[in-house]
Structure formats: C-alpha cells, structure tokens
Amino acid sequence: MAGVKPLRKIQLGREGTAGTEANATSIWRGTGGLKDETQVVFPEENVGLLSGTNRAYIPKVGGVLAMDSTPATFEQILHILEAGVLTATPAQDGTGSGYVYAYPLPTTSAPTIKTYTLEMGDNQQEEQMLYGYVEDFTLAGNAGEALTMAANWRGRQVATGSFTAALSVPTVEEILFSKGKLYIDAAGGTIGSTQKTATLLSATLAVKTGLMPVYTADGSLYFTFVKSVAPEVTLNITFEHDSTSVAEKAAWRAGTGRLVRLLFEGSSLGTPGTTYSKKTLIIDLAGKWETFDALGDQDGNNIVTGTLRARYSSTDSLFTEIKVVNELTTVP
C-alpha cells in the first residue's frame, strides 16, 4: 500500500549517548517534516562537453526536522526544552503530585542537553535522524486560542529504518492562552509582583538556542559535536492601547530594564504541592524593550505591539527561564 498522510507519525527517543540510536519512547502529537540535507556537489570543469559530466561528490550530510506549530501541552513541551535548553532534573513540589522542570537559558557556561533519535515516516517508509537537537523554537498565542509551540531540530544524517513498535499515543493537556497572566516589573524589583490585567492580546516568544553543529575532519561526513554559542530571545507582546502599553512605551524611551513573567495554569494537580496546585507554565525574562510598532487596530480596537529583547540582568540574576509543572516524574 502506498503511503497516505493519515498514517504519518513522528516518534522520539532520548539518547543515552549523543549520536547513538535510541528506540522511540513517545509519539509526537503534532505534524512536521523531515528533510535530508545531504549535500551533493557537481564540480565545475572544462572537458569539452556542453552538458558537463555526471561527476559529483558528497562532502557532508545532515538533516532537519521541522515541527509545525501545534497546540502546546504541559507534557510534550518538555521534549523541545530538553533538546534545546538543558536536561532538567524534575523536583517534586513538596509532597504533591506535581513535578517542577526548570530550564534557565545559559549565561556563563554551556548547558548539557538531551539529544534524541527522531523517527518519521508513514506506512510506506520510516526515516530516522540521530543526534537530534533543537536549533530554535517559538511559543505563541492569541486570546481565545491555545498557546502553540513549534521547533526546528537538526541531526547528523537521515537514513531509512523501521519505527519502534507498539507505542501508545500519550495523554496531554493543552495550554490555553486566555488562562495566562502577564506580570511586568522594573528591573531590580520582584518578578511576578505586578499583574497587568485586561491588556494582553497576544504574545510570541522566539528562542534561538545558540546550539550549532561543528564539522571536523574525523573520518565522518556528519557533524562531530554541538557547540553552545550566544542564545537569542525575543518576546513580542500585543497590548490594548491602554495605561499599561503607554507606561511600557515610556519605559522603552527611557531605556528602563523590565522583568516580564507570563504564567499559564491548567487543570488541578491530583495532590496540591507546596508551591503549585495546578499544571503550570512560567516564562520569566529580564530585558529591555527594543521597538514599539505604530498604533494598530484589531477590528476597530486600538492596539500596540512591543518587542522585548531578553538580556542578562546582574541585579536580578536573570536572563530567561522557563518552568513547567506537570505530573510526570520523568520525561517520556
């Protein structure tokens, strides 16, 4: 039977050793595409033929898996953060059923990430990519919708294989944007102190993880290892044109540092903990406003959009940190 779209799937396996194949342990509840980036070079030459010859060579191989934008969940967002920020050690919240996964982006030292074996294909053919890591990801949402997540993974090479069998589709819970809360405080204050109500319309967090492949002459055509260089984080927020957006534009003009928190809560945990009683996603950033757009409108309603560029604040010991609270004792 030829391949059909409904039978496509993406499966993920956490590697014990980077680049060593791991069996998949989870099915990704979203869509995407795996592209083989094998590089074929046809060298230029003058050999008396208008058509040229079929001389060609392959100097390097690689692959990219683009995970399309899909509703973000408290469970599967962990895969993106583990492969793009660091390998977190979950901490039980007191005696509750909630576990806290903390993902601070690096400031003074390179993080240790978890690499993945990624399987993708359909009923006709599976292809897989080893040493998968996340180059960049976005979290975005609009009022009245789910928060979404998207990510671009890079790996050593793409090869055919077979799916890890007998995996069950995991249970997940969507993160709803309208259940989110926005907090903005001045640098040097306490993050999460001042909630800004009735103003947040949409937000997009864009993260370039700073992870890059390094190719060396070591007997293989794929990259040898992954190096951590400067990450880049921006947060676009669309506000009502109200006192909050007016105050933030003033902070932009004055070059005042800001502490921004986006907090999203989900269903109640089976057993409340010391700090958390619900599934939770927290995005904390220190930075300064970089730009504000001209006054816009949304169905005749005046709005304004600002871009905050995250930067390390020594006063607050903060750059960017993402926390996830769910009931998973380990990353599936």
Side-chain angles (χ1 to χ4, degrees), residues 166-202:
L167 295 184
S168 299
V169 177
T171 299
V172 298
E173 180 182 332
E174 290 75 20
I175 303 170
L176 304 180
F177 190 83
S178 290
K179 295 187 74 173
K181 299 176 183 178
L182 171 67
Y183 300 82
I184 304 179
D185 295 281
T190 301
I191 193 167
S193 296
T194 308
Q195 185 181 353
K196 303 297 182 179
T197 60
T199 189
L200 176 62
L201 299 175
S202 65

Side-chain angles (χ1 to χ4, degrees), residues 30-50:
T31 62
L34 178 59
K35 180 182 179 182
D36 190 334
E37 292 197 330
T38 296
Q39 186 179 98
V40 179
V41 177
F42 293 85
E44 185 176 349
E45 54 186 2
N46 294 323
V47 293
L49 290 170
L50 288 173

Side-chain angles (χ1 to χ4, degrees), residues 87-256:
T87 305
T89 300
Q92 186 177 6
D93 181 21
T95 58
S97 59
Y99 285 81
V100 182
Y101 292 79
Y103 298 94
L105 268 76
T107 54
T108 59
S109 60
T112 299
I113 62 167
K114 176 58 67 176
T115 60
Y116 280 68
T117 295
L118 301 160
E119 303 174 350
M120 185 180 177
D122 58 12
N123 55 303
Q124 175 65 354
Q125 178 65 62
E126 182 260 20
E127 293 182 321
Q128 57 191 32
M129 181 173 73
L130 278 57
Y131 210 130
Y133 68 93
V134 172
E135 285 189 314
D136 61 81
F137 65 90
T138 59
L139 300 174
N142 300 295
E145 300 176 4
L147 186 74
T148 63
M149 56 186 177
N152 289 310
W153 297 66
R154 183 170 294 279
R156 276 185 165 171
Q157 65 184 120
V158 177
T160 58
S162 58
F163 282 112
T164 302
L167 295 184
S168 299
V169 177
T171 299
V172 298
E173 180 182 332
E174 290 75 20
I175 303 170
L176 304 180
F177 190 83
S178 290
K179 295 187 74 173
K181 299 176 183 178
L182 171 67
Y183 300 82
I184 304 179
D185 295 281
T190 301
I191 193 167
S193 296
T194 308
Q195 185 181 353
K196 303 297 182 179
T197 60
T199 189
L200 176 62
L201 299 175
S202 65
T204 300
L205 178 76
V207 178
K208 294 181 180 179
T209 63
L211 299 173
M212 60 170 286
V214 178
Y215 288 83
T216 67
D218 67 348
S220 300
L221 297 183
Y222 49 69
F223 62 77
T224 307
F225 60 92
V226 172
K227 178 179 286 188
S228 178
V229 295
E232 182 178 339
V233 181
T234 58
L235 176 65
N236 286 0
I237 294 181
T238 298
F239 301 92
E240 278 284 310
H241 190 227
D242 56 10
S243 59
T244 295
S245 57
V246 168
E248 293 310 307
K249 285 185 74 172
W252 163 55
R253 294 187 179 107
T256 304

